[in-house]
Amino acid sequence: MTGPLARLASQHPRRVVLAAIVLTLVAAVIGSSAVDRLAPYAAEDPQTESVRADALLARGGVEAGVDVVALVKTPSGATSRSGRSRVERVAGLLRADADIGRVDTATTRAADLQARLEGAETVVVADPHCARWLGVDQADARVRTVTSFLAAMVATLPLSEDAAEPVAWHDPCWLGRGMAEYDEARAVVSAASGAAPLEPEHTRDRAWCAGGGMGYAEADPEGAAEILRRRAAELRA
């Protein structure tokens, strides 16, 4: 194959050069068109899933592309003595690996957060699961959920006296069964809407799950969707 090509180049050099120039121009035109089509999806484009995932990780304090999350099974619970021991044992094994630069556990991250919040008299936490972890499991008496914080303020808020449309209240698992908070949220809804919230059949400590907590929606999307459909149908009834 190389022999004929060499003879062609030696016998007709001008034709070969001209053909190479034409092919180069054609390739440039085709390549430019492909780049234009792919440009909106470049690696740094904010609409790509990878960039959006990196942004979410960065907001959570995780350096994308470097950090790895290790899930440790703790039959007695992560906050039990055996659970903490097991987590620390796994963390010790990871720290012993020369290729791993830093290892954090949920406990060390909580301690770091509490140190940064030193001096605050009250810590209002939006996520009831995080409120449970910091307030109960880490015994931080400053922690309050958003609902309990607002419930203590409703008397001072400039709320309308006109009744709004009826509101049905869903007891989130970690706010209700996790934090034993039921009345505070209802007080806020009543103050804001002018009437007590409508109660579904399954309410308070008997409330059905919405299917979105603890990563269940990612682990079993179909099961989570069915749980949500069932709960939403009850709230609409």
Side-chain angles (χ1 to χ4, degrees):
M1 182 84 182
T2 56
L5 289 176
R7 286 194 297 273
L8 177 64
S10 61
Q11 295 173 4
H12 307 283
R14 293 184 179 179
R15 293 182 181 179
V16 171
V17 171
L18 181 60
I21 293 174
V22 171
L23 289 174
T24 300
L25 293 175
V26 171
V29 172
I30 296 175
S32 176
S33 176
V35 169
D36 290 340
R37 292 175 180 273
L38 294 174
Y41 306 100
E44 70 278 2
D45 189 272
Q47 297 304 315
T48 59
E49 290 188 5
S50 60
V51 173
R52 291 166 63 185
D54 288 349
L56 289 174
L57 288 171
R59 286 202 293 270
V62 177
E63 186 178 350
V66 176
D67 293 56
V68 175
V69 177
L71 300 179
V72 181
K73 187 176 182 180
T74 54
S76 300
T79 58
S80 66
R81 178 176 297 180
S82 61
R84 289 177 183 269
S85 175
R86 190 166 189 172
V87 169
E88 285 303 321
R89 186 162 58 250
V90 173
L93 292 173
L94 294 174
R95 291 189 183 100
D97 191 325
D99 293 328
I100 298 178
R102 174 179 174 182
V103 177
D104 281 333
T105 65
T107 301
T108 58
R109 293 297 294 270
D112 178 64
L113 176 60
Q114 288 171 320
R116 284 185 285 162
L117 295 174
E118 184 177 358
E121 295 182 1
T122 302
V123 178
V124 180
V125 182
D127 187 330
H129 192 183
C130 292
R132 163 80 188 201
W133 170 246
L134 291 172
V136 178
D137 297 327
Q138 301 303 310
D140 191 334
R142 302 173 301 167
V143 172
R144 300 180 66 181
T145 63
V146 169
T147 47
S148 65
F149 182 75
L150 291 177
M153 297 178 59
V154 291
T156 64
L157 298 178
L159 301 173
S160 174
E161 296 181 357
D162 298 330
E165 295 183 359
V167 176
W169 174 254
H170 160 73
D171 289 289
C173 295
W174 280 101
L175 183 63
R177 288 184 286 271
M179 294 292 291
E181 281 193 18
Y182 300 104
D183 296 330
E184 292 85 348
R186 286 166 173 78
V188 175
V189 172
S190 297
S193 66
L198 302 177
E199 300 284 352
E201 179 181 353
H202 296 86
T203 187
R204 292 183 176 264
D205 60 342
R206 296 179 56 251
W208 280 349
C209 178
M214 300 293 290
Y216 180 62
E218 287 73 24
D220 183 10
E222 293 183 2
E226 175 58 25
I227 292 174
L228 176 60
R229 183 202 63 76
R230 183 181 64 175
R231 182 57 170 166
E234 185 181 53
L235 290 170
R236 286 193 297 265

